[in-house]
PDB file of all heavy atoms in Angstrom:
ATOM      1  N   VAL A  83     -92.474 -81.139 116.663  1.00 83.00           N
ATOM      2  CA  VAL A  83     -91.619 -80.093 117.109  1.00 83.00           C
ATOM      3  C   VAL A  83     -92.517 -78.895 117.616  1.00 83.00           C
ATOM      4  O   VAL A  83     -93.534 -78.637 116.903  1.00 83.00           O
ATOM      5  CB  VAL A  83     -90.694 -79.587 115.966  1.00 83.00           C
ATOM      6  CG1 VAL A  83     -91.434 -79.197 114.802  1.00 83.00           C
ATOM      7  CG2 VAL A  83     -89.645 -78.535 116.398  1.00 83.00           C
ATOM      8  N   ASN A  84     -92.193 -78.217 118.652  1.00 79.00           N
ATOM      9  CA  ASN A  84     -93.005 -77.067 119.149  1.00 79.00           C
ATOM     10  C   ASN A  84     -92.340 -75.823 118.539  1.00 79.00           C
ATOM     11  O   ASN A  84     -91.330 -75.810 117.821  1.00 79.00           O
ATOM     12  CB  ASN A  84     -93.083 -77.043 120.601  1.00 79.00           C
ATOM     13  CG  ASN A  84     -91.647 -76.814 121.323  1.00 79.00           C
ATOM     14  OD1 ASN A  84     -90.699 -76.674 120.674  1.00 79.00           O
ATOM     15  ND2 ASN A  84     -91.756 -76.906 122.628  1.00 79.00           N
ATOM     16  N   PHE A  85     -92.980 -74.712 118.924  1.00 77.00           N
ATOM     17  CA  PHE A  85     -92.565 -73.428 118.248  1.00 77.00           C
ATOM     18  C   PHE A  85     -91.143 -73.108 118.578  1.00 77.00           C
ATOM     19  O   PHE A  85     -90.423 -72.577 117.740  1.00 77.00           O
ATOM     20  CB  PHE A  85     -93.543 -72.347 118.809  1.00 77.00           C
ATOM     21  CG  PHE A  85     -93.388 -71.054 118.166  1.00 77.00           C
ATOM     22  CD1 PHE A  85     -93.490 -70.884 116.829  1.00 77.00           C
ATOM     23  CD2 PHE A  85     -93.076 -70.018 119.005  1.00 77.00           C
ATOM     24  CE1 PHE A  85     -93.263 -69.564 116.238  1.00 77.00           C
ATOM     25  CE2 PHE A  85     -92.911 -68.663 118.385  1.00 77.00           C
ATOM     26  CZ  PHE A  85     -92.997 -68.538 117.006  1.00 77.00           C
ATOM     27  N   ARG A  86     -90.727 -73.362 119.757  1.00 77.00           N
ATOM     28  CA  ARG A  86     -89.382 -72.988 120.165  1.00 77.00           C
ATOM     29  C   ARG A  86     -88.375 -73.814 119.320  1.00 77.00           C
ATOM     30  O   ARG A  86     -87.363 -73.191 118.947  1.00 77.00           O
ATOM     31  CB  ARG A  86     -89.284 -73.378 121.720  1.00 77.00           C
ATOM     32  CG  ARG A  86     -88.132 -72.618 122.338  1.00 77.00           C
ATOM     33  CD  ARG A  86     -88.075 -73.004 123.822  1.00 77.00           C
ATOM     34  NE  ARG A  86     -86.953 -72.500 124.376  1.00 77.00           N
ATOM     35  CZ  ARG A  86     -86.718 -71.191 124.690  1.00 77.00           C
ATOM     36  NH1 ARG A  86     -87.610 -70.351 124.309  1.00 77.00           N
ATOM     37  NH2 ARG A  86     -85.544 -70.816 125.057  1.00 77.00           N
ATOM     38  N   GLY A  87     -88.616 -75.066 119.227  1.00 80.00           N
ATOM     39  CA  GLY A  87     -87.666 -75.830 118.469  1.00 80.00           C
ATOM     40  C   GLY A  87     -87.656 -75.415 116.986  1.00 80.00           C
ATOM     41  O   GLY A  87     -86.613 -75.415 116.374  1.00 80.00           O
ATOM     42  N   PHE A  88     -88.783 -75.111 116.452  1.00 81.00           N
ATOM     43  CA  PHE A  88     -88.978 -74.518 115.021  1.00 81.00           C
ATOM     44  C   PHE A  88     -88.067 -73.423 114.944  1.00 81.00           C
ATOM     45  O   PHE A  88     -87.286 -73.251 114.004  1.00 81.00           O
ATOM     46  CB  PHE A  88     -90.477 -74.298 114.802  1.00 81.00           C
ATOM     47  CG  PHE A  88     -90.813 -73.865 113.520  1.00 81.00           C
ATOM     48  CD1 PHE A  88     -90.899 -74.732 112.390  1.00 81.00           C
ATOM     49  CD2 PHE A  88     -91.163 -72.521 113.277  1.00 81.00           C
ATOM     50  CE1 PHE A  88     -91.222 -74.383 111.154  1.00 81.00           C
ATOM     51  CE2 PHE A  88     -91.528 -72.071 112.032  1.00 81.00           C
ATOM     52  CZ  PHE A  88     -91.591 -73.042 110.948  1.00 81.00           C
ATOM     53  N   MET A  89     -88.293 -72.474 115.867  1.00 80.00           N
ATOM     54  CA  MET A  89     -87.410 -71.260 115.807  1.00 80.00           C
ATOM     55  C   MET A  89     -85.972 -71.467 115.855  1.00 80.00           C
ATOM     56  O   MET A  89     -85.164 -70.873 115.185  1.00 80.00           O
ATOM     57  CB  MET A  89     -87.831 -70.326 116.984  1.00 80.00           C
ATOM     58  CG  MET A  89     -88.850 -69.257 116.697  1.00 80.00           C
ATOM     59  SD  MET A  89     -89.357 -68.489 118.157  1.00 80.00           S
ATOM     60  CE  MET A  89     -87.860 -67.991 118.912  1.00 80.00           C
ATOM     61  N   ARG A  90     -85.604 -72.380 116.695  1.00 83.00           N
ATOM     62  CA  ARG A  90     -84.098 -72.638 116.899  1.00 83.00           C
ATOM     63  C   ARG A  90     -83.480 -73.188 115.639  1.00 83.00           C
ATOM     64  O   ARG A  90     -82.390 -72.670 115.217  1.00 83.00           O
ATOM     65  CB  ARG A  90     -83.907 -73.763 117.999  1.00 83.00           C
ATOM     66  CG  ARG A  90     -83.888 -73.270 119.437  1.00 83.00           C
ATOM     67  CD  ARG A  90     -83.566 -74.435 120.335  1.00 83.00           C
ATOM     68  NE  ARG A  90     -82.310 -74.760 120.230  1.00 83.00           N
ATOM     69  CZ  ARG A  90     -81.235 -74.279 120.753  1.00 83.00           C
ATOM     70  NH1 ARG A  90     -81.275 -73.214 121.571  1.00 83.00           N
ATOM     71  NH2 ARG A  90     -79.985 -74.698 120.495  1.00 83.00           N
ATOM     72  N   THR A  91     -84.218 -73.993 114.851  1.00 85.00           N
ATOM     73  CA  THR A  91     -83.582 -74.501 113.644  1.00 85.00           C
ATOM     74  C   THR A  91     -83.646 -73.431 112.656  1.00 85.00           C
ATOM     75  O   THR A  91     -82.659 -73.221 111.908  1.00 85.00           O
ATOM     76  CB  THR A  91     -84.521 -75.612 113.083  1.00 85.00           C
ATOM     77  OG1 THR A  91     -84.839 -76.460 114.121  1.00 85.00           O
ATOM     78  CG2 THR A  91     -83.829 -76.314 111.904  1.00 85.00           C
ATOM     79  N   LEU A  92     -84.675 -72.512 112.595  1.00 83.00           N
ATOM     80  CA  LEU A  92     -84.728 -71.490 111.520  1.00 83.00           C
ATOM     81  C   LEU A  92     -83.626 -70.422 111.836  1.00 83.00           C
ATOM     82  O   LEU A  92     -83.162 -69.671 111.076  1.00 83.00           O
ATOM     83  CB  LEU A  92     -86.043 -70.863 111.448  1.00 83.00           C
ATOM     84  CG  LEU A  92     -87.099 -71.650 110.812  1.00 83.00           C
ATOM     85  CD1 LEU A  92     -88.362 -70.922 110.755  1.00 83.00           C
ATOM     86  CD2 LEU A  92     -86.717 -72.101 109.395  1.00 83.00           C
ATOM     87  N   ALA A  93     -83.356 -70.300 113.211  1.00 83.00           N
ATOM     88  CA  ALA A  93     -82.404 -69.255 113.573  1.00 83.00           C
ATOM     89  C   ALA A  93     -81.003 -69.495 112.975  1.00 83.00           C
ATOM     90  O   ALA A  93     -80.235 -68.537 112.917  1.00 83.00           O
ATOM     91  CB  ALA A  93     -82.236 -69.285 115.075  1.00 83.00           C
ATOM     92  N   HIS A  94     -80.661 -70.722 112.560  1.00 85.00           N
ATOM     93  CA  HIS A  94     -79.390 -70.859 111.898  1.00 85.00           C
ATOM     94  C   HIS A  94     -79.323 -70.033 110.560  1.00 85.00           C
ATOM     95  O   HIS A  94     -78.118 -69.790 110.192  1.00 85.00           O
ATOM     96  CB  HIS A  94     -79.254 -72.396 111.404  1.00 85.00           C
ATOM     97  CG  HIS A  94     -78.993 -73.302 112.540  1.00 85.00           C
ATOM     98  ND1 HIS A  94     -79.966 -74.049 113.239  1.00 85.00           N
ATOM     99  CD2 HIS A  94     -77.855 -73.696 113.145  1.00 85.00           C
ATOM    100  CE1 HIS A  94     -79.412 -74.840 114.177  1.00 85.00           C
ATOM    101  NE2 HIS A  94     -78.111 -74.662 114.130  1.00 85.00           N
ATOM    102  N   PHE A  95     -80.414 -69.641 110.101  1.00 84.00           N
ATOM    103  CA  PHE A  95     -80.322 -68.918 108.781  1.00 84.00           C
ATOM    104  C   PHE A  95     -80.417 -67.417 108.853  1.00 84.00           C
ATOM    105  O   PHE A  95     -80.598 -66.710 107.910  1.00 84.00           O
ATOM    106  CB  PHE A  95     -81.501 -69.439 107.891  1.00 84.00           C
ATOM    107  CG  PHE A  95     -81.144 -70.871 107.424  1.00 84.00           C
ATOM    108  CD1 PHE A  95     -81.454 -71.943 108.202  1.00 84.00           C
ATOM    109  CD2 PHE A  95     -80.611 -71.035 106.185  1.00 84.00           C
ATOM    110  CE1 PHE A  95     -81.227 -73.286 107.793  1.00 84.00           C
ATOM    111  CE2 PHE A  95     -80.239 -72.337 105.764  1.00 84.00           C
ATOM    112  CZ  PHE A  95     -80.577 -73.470 106.582  1.00 84.00           C
ATOM    113  N   ARG A  96     -80.282 -66.907 110.150  1.00 82.00           N
ATOM    114  CA  ARG A  96     -80.208 -65.514 110.254  1.00 82.00           C
ATOM    115  C   ARG A  96     -78.948 -64.989 109.632  1.00 82.00           C
ATOM    116  O   ARG A  96     -77.884 -65.567 109.765  1.00 82.00           O
ATOM    117  CB  ARG A  96     -80.179 -65.102 111.764  1.00 82.00           C
ATOM    118  CG  ARG A  96     -81.413 -64.512 112.212  1.00 82.00           C
ATOM    119  CD  ARG A  96     -81.394 -64.303 113.769  1.00 82.00           C
ATOM    120  NE  ARG A  96     -80.260 -63.497 114.162  1.00 82.00           N
ATOM    121  CZ  ARG A  96     -80.001 -63.136 115.476  1.00 82.00           C
ATOM    122  NH1 ARG A  96     -80.695 -63.734 116.310  1.00 82.00           N
ATOM    123  NH2 ARG A  96     -79.097 -62.387 115.693  1.00 82.00           N
TER     124      ARG A  96
END
Side-chain angles (χ1 to χ4, degrees):
Chain A
V83 60
N84 63 5
F85 185 57
R86 202 176 170 73
F88 183 73
M89 262 169 55
R90 278 186 65 85
T91 314
L92 289 180
H94 284 97
F95 288 84
R96 249 174 62 181

